[in-house]
């Protein structure tokens, strides 16, 4: 029986050109200072993964994901990338992240995830750890490092197909959905209510 063809899909934040260039400069400065091995991430593919749907997503689930994404309502926000670090795994990837991610980022993630689950779109069980990968196989960990802050205006999210093959990885945008300034604010948790 032939293997099911790869259809790797994920929802992501996709930076505008100014944000992409600022992130690339931050990555360049870190590489100059630390001299890692491995390979720099391709700047044109910089992104922040929101939700990973899997490596072999059936066409019916892909269609359901695209339809469900249009029902996600969350507000635009600014994400400040202000520090860099690395994960402790075999590839030692370096990333840019936010020391204090805006609550609106988590709201977007939660609403997207809940919408997919309601639509019966399978979602890979991963902890949400927002980051933008800038280098792979570095060979040495990057300690928490402050960078010149990059203010990323987030006004939409995208669905990306990652084409894996013998050549370079290719990202294909399958859909883009704007965030809505009039989207409802999240209800505060019970312990967060101000007592008058």
């Amino acid at each position: 029986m032939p293997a099911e063809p790869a259809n790797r899909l994920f929802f992501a934040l996709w930076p505008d050109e100014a944000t992409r260039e600022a992130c690339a400069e931050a990555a360049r400065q870190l590489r100059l200072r630390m001299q890692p091995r491995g390979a720099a991430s391709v700047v044109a593919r910089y992104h922040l993964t929101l939700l990973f749907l899997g490596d072999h997503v059936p066409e019916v689930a892909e269609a359901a994901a695209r339809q469900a994404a249009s029902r996600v309502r969350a507000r635009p926000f600014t994400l400040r990338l202000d520090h860099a670090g690395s994960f402790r795994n075999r590839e030692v990837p370096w990333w840019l992240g936010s020391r204090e991610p805006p609550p609106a980022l988590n709201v977007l993630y939660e609403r997207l995830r809940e919408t997919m689950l309601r639509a019966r779109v399978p979602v890979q069980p991963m902890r949400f750890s927002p980051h933008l990968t800038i280098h792979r196989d570095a060979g040495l960990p990057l300690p928490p490092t402050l960078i010149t802050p990059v203010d990323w205006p987030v006004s939409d999210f995208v669905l990306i197909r990652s084409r894996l093959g013998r050549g370079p990885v290719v990202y294909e945008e399958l859909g883009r959905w704007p965030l809505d300034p009039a989207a409802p604010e999240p209800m505060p948790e019970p312990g967060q209510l101000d007592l008058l």
Side-chain angles (χ1 to χ4, degrees), residues 1-7 55-56:
M1 184 176 198
E4 187 180 352
N7 189 31
D55 282 332
H56 301 282

Side-chain angles (χ1 to χ4, degrees), residues 35-166:
Q35 299 293 311
R37 296 194 302 267
S41 298
V42 176
V43 175
R45 295 200 303 257
Y46 277 179
H47 66 277
L48 185 153
T49 300
L50 290 169
L51 208 58
F52 183 60
L53 302 185
D55 282 332
H56 301 282
V57 180
E59 286 184 16
V60 64
E62 177 184 325
R66 292 169 74 169
Q67 186 174 25
S70 66
R71 297 194 294 270
V72 174
R73 293 193 67 214
R75 294 182 176 217
F77 56 92
T78 297
L79 174 61
R80 170 165 280 199
L81 303 175
D82 56 10
H83 79 299
S86 61
F87 291 123
R88 296 177 185 172
N89 64 27
R90 200 162 40 95
E91 295 181 353
V92 196
W94 289 6
W95 46 258
L96 304 181
S98 177
R99 287 177 296 167
E100 293 186 24
L105 173 59
N106 201 54
V107 168
L108 172 58
Y109 162 74
E110 290 291 347
R111 289 183 180 167
L112 181 60
R113 183 176 176 278
E114 289 167 8
T115 302
M116 292 302 126
L117 293 176
R118 280 199 304 271
R120 302 192 190 288
V121 174
V123 172
Q124 296 298 307
M126 296 179 167
R127 186 172 67 89
F128 183 46
S129 178
H131 65 280
L132 185 150
T133 302
I134 56 170
H135 201 95
R136 296 186 184 278
D137 296 315
L140 72 161
L142 178 64
T145 304
L146 294 178
I147 63 167
T148 301
V150 177
D151 286 331
W152 176 355
V154 178
S155 58
D156 55 22
F157 65 96
V158 298
L159 178 62
I160 298 292
R161 174 182 287 129
S162 176
R163 294 195 177 275
L164 309 173
R166 294 185 180 173

Side-chain angles (χ1 to χ4, degrees), residues 12-24:
L13 301 182
W14 200 257
D16 58 38
E17 283 308 310
T19 301
R20 193 174 296 278
E21 289 170 15
C23 290

